[in-house]
Amino acid sequence: MKLSKKRVRHTKGMDITPMIDIVFLLLIFFITVSQVSETNREKLELPELKGAKDQKKTSLVVNINKAGEIVVAGNPVQLADIAFLVGNELEANGGDAAMVTVVVRVDQKATCEVPNALVKQLASQGISKVRLAVQVPN
């Protein structure tokens, strides 16, 4: 009786587990970053304007909805609280008001009282770079 030896097959291959881990980490990172950038933008109906440029880097994004409520980073704030937020941005930029850019996004159905009061408050703090966001028509 002849007994056969078991053959051990050695396959040389690459372990792709670390690569899969990195891909999942990158996926989670990009999903998180895209959600954070969307928090600054409330769903507003912006006025349309031809020839508008994409937004450049901004220090602070202030949203004003059609009810006249001010929303910053997804949180409703009062007009008086904007002074505190702008003060934080000024401190982060070494007190240089020229380095702070504020983008004001106003719903096209909102009245002009709140945006005007906001711009006056920003001007009283020395902020001269205030941009109004518009939507480019298709």
Side-chain angles (χ1 to χ4, degrees):
M1 171 178 206
K2 189 174 184 184
L3 296 174
S4 64
K5 294 183 180 179
K6 288 187 179 180
R7 290 187 180 183
V8 178
R9 294 176 57 182
H10 295 286
T11 58
K12 294 184 180 181
M14 185 170 74
D15 184 20
I16 62 169
T17 305
M19 185 171 60
I20 292 172
D21 290 344
I22 290 175
V23 168
F24 280 124
L25 287 174
L26 287 173
L27 185 64
I28 291 169
F29 171 76
F30 286 119
I31 289 172
T32 305
V33 168
S34 69
Q35 288 177 352
V36 168
S37 64
E38 288 297 318
T39 17
N40 288 335
R41 298 174 187 252
E42 292 289 313
K43 294 189 190 252
L44 301 175
E45 238 181 278
L46 297 177
E48 294 184 355
L49 180 67
K50 289 186 177 181
K53 298 179 182 176
D54 287 338
Q55 292 181 6
K56 298 177 185 173
K57 184 181 177 191
T58 60
S59 301
L60 184 63
V61 178
V62 179
N63 301 292
I64 301 174
N65 60 20
K66 62 184 171 185
E69 297 170 340
I70 301 173
V71 180
V72 177
N75 300 320
V77 296
Q78 298 297 320
L79 187 59
D81 297 333
I82 297 293
F84 176 72
L85 295 172
V86 171
N88 289 343
E89 290 298 326
L90 284 171
E91 284 180 22
N93 290 306
D96 187 9
M99 298 296 292
V100 177
T101 303
V102 178
V103 172
V104 180
R105 301 179 73 241
V106 183
D107 192 294
Q108 68 180 358
K109 295 179 182 173
T111 62
C112 62
E113 296 167 356
V114 177
N116 287 343
L118 175 67
V119 171
K120 283 181 186 177
Q121 182 167 356
L122 292 172
S124 70
Q125 290 184 277
I127 305 299
S128 59
K129 292 183 182 179
V130 178
R131 297 184 6 222
L132 294 175
V134 294
Q135 181 176 351
V136 179
N138 294 330

